[in-house]
Amino acid sequence: MAADTAYANLWPDGLCAVAVDVALLTVREGRLQVLVAKGDTPPFTSLWSLPGRRVGADESLDATAHRALAELAKVSAPDAHMEQLYTYGDPHRDPHDRIVSVAYLALTPVTDTLHLPAHATFLPVDTVLSDAGPALAYDHRQIVADAVERARAKLEYSSLATAFVTEPFTLAELRRVYEAVWGVSLDEANFRRKVVHTPGFVVEVSGVTRPGPEGGRPARRYKPGGASLLHPAMLRP
Amino acid sequence: MAADTAYANLWPDGLCAVAVDVALLTVREGRLQVLVAKGDTPPFTSLWSLPGRRVGADESLDATAHRALAELAKVSAPDAHMEQLYTYGDPHRDPHDRIVSVAYLALTPVTDTLHLPAHATFLPVDTVLSDAGPALAYDHRQIVADAVERARAKLEYSSLATAFVTEPFTLAELRRVYEAVWGVSLDEANFRRKVVHTPGFVVEVSGVTRPGPEGGRPARRYKPGGASLLHPAMLRP
DNA sequence: TCAATAGTGTCTTTTAGACATTATATG
DNA sequence: CATATAATGTCTAAAAGACACTATTGA
């Protein structure tokens, strides 16, 4: 949310400012994390906030969401899964003005090439959502909570988990995504059986991975199988 | 969507008009139907459209959604399940102005006491969504399609179906909701077993129904059991 | 009695969870 | 060889689907 001008509290004739805020989730160091930046509008200059932009005059909401990411973190559109999450319209969610915010959920794989500006960082979502966590500007903690719940739910019945990994990936990598997002540990063998028995979830590709320095059997490699909905679903334990 | 004034195509300084449109679904005559009204803004005065209102200056989005229903059809707030669906923000979705629409999904039981004005009616959703169906104003056919898919999906993992019936209800009535929304026929015995074995879905209340004029065993009566999420889910066949 | 609707029981198949076992790499 | 990671197999329990059967009403 970047209100770059001071407006009166009420817009003329029922108009509102419309902004897009993006909750970008990724898995780093085995934890689900969210991208935040230091706000640029008082009184929230010292708080973390989600990247956001005002909707352009001839710009779609999706385009604004992609722009919000691209301008902050050079995350290009095809790299990130992007879906609309929820629209926050409480009249007093912004202490200055009436701003309706259309929140988006974005997912990216762990990419070391993602270079962030100095005023942006990733925070673990369990830190952000805990009572002891840092305060976020506006209602952005609620947006993060809703984004995390959306991601957790969609891992069950969709192939969304593949948006957290780069192609090709191993089943162990995919399992670690589920474990990080859900915050549980999963049985390797049962996970593997469910994934490969769900039509269209993953497709094996040629080649195997090189084992780590401590050895281990090389892992087969997979790519997304094209299905977006899973039958049967991968239910949370 | 009721743009009651003609605005220039671009609002000042990135402002938008924000409206709420409501897709009210109910089950009538065994079919899922949606509430529509004749539009009041050219060129859509002769087309059906969803009830909608501009968001008031100090009004929340939820409040606008309830007001849109109450002003058209006297559906009072506690009667109807109401949840936000999706926000439609294509810059050219309205031929006149840039209007961002926050769509809501509402559900009500069949209520004969619901008296509609002459310019409003219920239409079966399969009619609205078929290629041969009547055109709807703006992008309202898309909104109906999204609302129906949301309802169909949520019947699986939530107790939303109870929003379509009045308390107390029989399991046959609840089953007919599932059959109408999903457009399938379900096995009576298996449906009953799944419902009563899902903790918190329904709770039996005292008394039985009177059989119809052709006889039949009196049915037990139930009320919602308090759970909003179902474990295990009621999966579509 | 029969027709109609409500409710129970049983069998088979599918899927989930626990966990033992085998396979292939490094050192 | 031991150790680490990947992949398979087996057993049991839970749930879904098909469908026969029983129960209670009105005519």
Side-chain angles (χ1 to χ4, degrees):
Chain A
M1 172 125 2
D4 40 19
T5 318
Y7 285 90
N9 228 325
L10 298 180
W11 310 113
D13 292 51
L15 299 184
C16 295
V18 178
V20 168
D21 292 308
V22 179
L24 173 72
L25 301 182
T26 194
V27 177
R28 304 188 130 197
E29 298 149 10
R31 306 174 75 183
L32 187 62
Q33 310 210 13
V34 60
L35 176 65
V36 292
K38 285 291 184 186
D40 52 1
T41 307
F44 293 141
T45 48
S46 62
L47 296 181
W48 295 112
S49 64
L50 299 176
R53 289 293 184 270
R54 296 283 282 271
V55 176
D58 195 46
E59 186 179 47
S60 71
L61 302 174
D62 287 25
T64 309
H66 283 109
R67 181 167 61 85
L69 273 193
E71 291 182 2
L72 177 67
K74 310 288 182 293
V75 180
S76 66
D79 286 358
H81 169 91
M82 180 78 76
E83 69 178 51
Q84 199 189 102
L85 176 63
Y86 195 81
T87 297
Y88 301 82
D90 184 273
H92 308 104
R93 59 179 291 280
D94 184 306
H96 286 101
D97 307 310
R98 175 82 194 258
I99 300 186
V100 171
S101 169
V102 183
Y104 273 72
L105 165 64
L107 305 181
T108 54
V110 183
T111 50
D112 297 326
T113 67
L114 181 75
H115 41 57
L116 298 177
H119 64 287
T121 189
F122 282 98
L123 294 179
V125 297
D126 48 5
T127 301
V128 170
L129 298 181
S130 77
D131 290 337
L136 261 55
Y138 311 103
D139 49 5
H140 286 188
R141 181 191 281 206
Q142 182 63 48
I143 296 179
V144 171
D146 293 344
V148 169
E149 183 45 40
R150 169 79 65 93
R152 284 179 176 153
K154 286 199 77 165
L155 286 206
E156 292 199 288
Y157 60 87
S158 80
S159 58
L160 198 68
T162 58
F164 281 108
V165 293
T166 51
E167 185 184 331
F169 51 86
T170 70
L171 293 189
E173 288 166 357
L174 193 63
R175 178 172 51 82
R176 280 188 279 268
V177 167
Y178 275 89
E179 292 178 330
V181 175
W182 285 348
V184 298
S185 73
L186 299 176
D187 183 276
E188 256 188 71
N190 295 333
F191 178 83
R192 172 181 308 274
R193 182 186 50 193
K194 287 164 71 169
V195 169
V196 301
H197 286 184
T198 299
F201 193 4
V202 299
V203 172
E204 190 175 351
V205 298
S206 63
V208 293
T209 59
R210 295 185 50 91
E214 310 234 297
R217 177 173 172 174
R220 296 177 188 166
R221 313 194 304 169
Y222 296 83
K223 63 175 180 181
S228 63
L229 262 47
L230 303 183
H231 298 285
M234 304 277 302
L235 298 178
R236 272 180 272 195
Chain B
M1 173 127 0
D4 42 18
T5 318
Y7 284 90
N9 227 325
L10 297 181
W11 311 111
D13 291 50
L15 299 184
C16 295
V18 178
V20 167
D21 292 307
V22 180
L24 173 72
L25 301 182
T26 193
V27 176
R28 305 189 129 198
E29 298 148 10
R31 307 173 74 183
L32 186 62
Q33 309 210 15
V34 61
L35 176 65
V36 292
K38 286 291 184 186
D40 52 1
T41 307
F44 293 141
T45 50
S46 61
L47 296 180
W48 295 113
S49 64
L50 298 176
R53 290 292 184 272
R54 296 282 282 270
V55 176
D58 196 45
E59 186 179 46
S60 71
L61 302 174
D62 287 26
T64 309
H66 283 110
R67 180 168 61 85
L69 272 193
E71 292 183 1
L72 177 67
K74 311 288 184 293
V75 181
S76 66
D79 286 359
H81 169 91
M82 181 77 77
E83 68 179 52
Q84 199 190 103
L85 176 62
Y86 196 81
T87 298
Y88 300 83
D90 185 272
H92 306 104
R93 58 179 292 280
D94 184 306
H96 287 101
D97 307 310
R98 174 81 195 258
I99 299 185
V100 170
S101 168
V102 182
Y104 273 73
L105 166 64
L107 305 181
T108 54
V110 184
T111 51
D112 297 328
T113 67
L114 179 75
H115 41 57
L116 297 177
H119 64 287
T121 189
F122 282 99
L123 294 179
V125 297
D126 46 6
T127 301
V128 170
L129 298 181
S130 77
D131 290 337
L136 260 56
Y138 311 104
D139 49 5
H140 287 189
R141 180 191 283 210
Q142 183 62 49
I143 296 178
V144 172
D146 293 344
V148 168
E149 183 45 39
R150 170 79 64 94
R152 285 180 175 153
K154 286 197 79 166
L155 285 206
E156 293 198 287
Y157 61 87
S158 81
S159 58
L160 197 68
T162 58
F164 282 108
V165 294
T166 52
E167 184 183 329
F169 52 86
T170 69
L171 294 189
E173 288 166 357
L174 193 64
R175 180 171 50 82
R176 281 187 278 269
V177 167
Y178 276 89
E179 292 177 330
V181 175
W182 285 348
V184 299
S185 73
L186 299 175
D187 182 276
E188 259 187 68
N190 294 334
F191 179 82
R192 171 181 309 273
R193 181 187 49 192
K194 284 164 72 168
V195 168
V196 300
H197 285 185
T198 299
F201 193 2
V202 299
V203 171
E204 189 173 353
V205 298
S206 64
V208 293
T209 59
R210 296 185 49 89
E214 311 232 298
R217 176 172 173 175
R220 296 179 188 165
R221 312 194 305 169
Y222 297 84
K223 65 176 181 181
S228 62
L229 262 45
L230 304 183
H231 298 287
M234 303 276 301
L235 298 178
R236 274 180 270 197

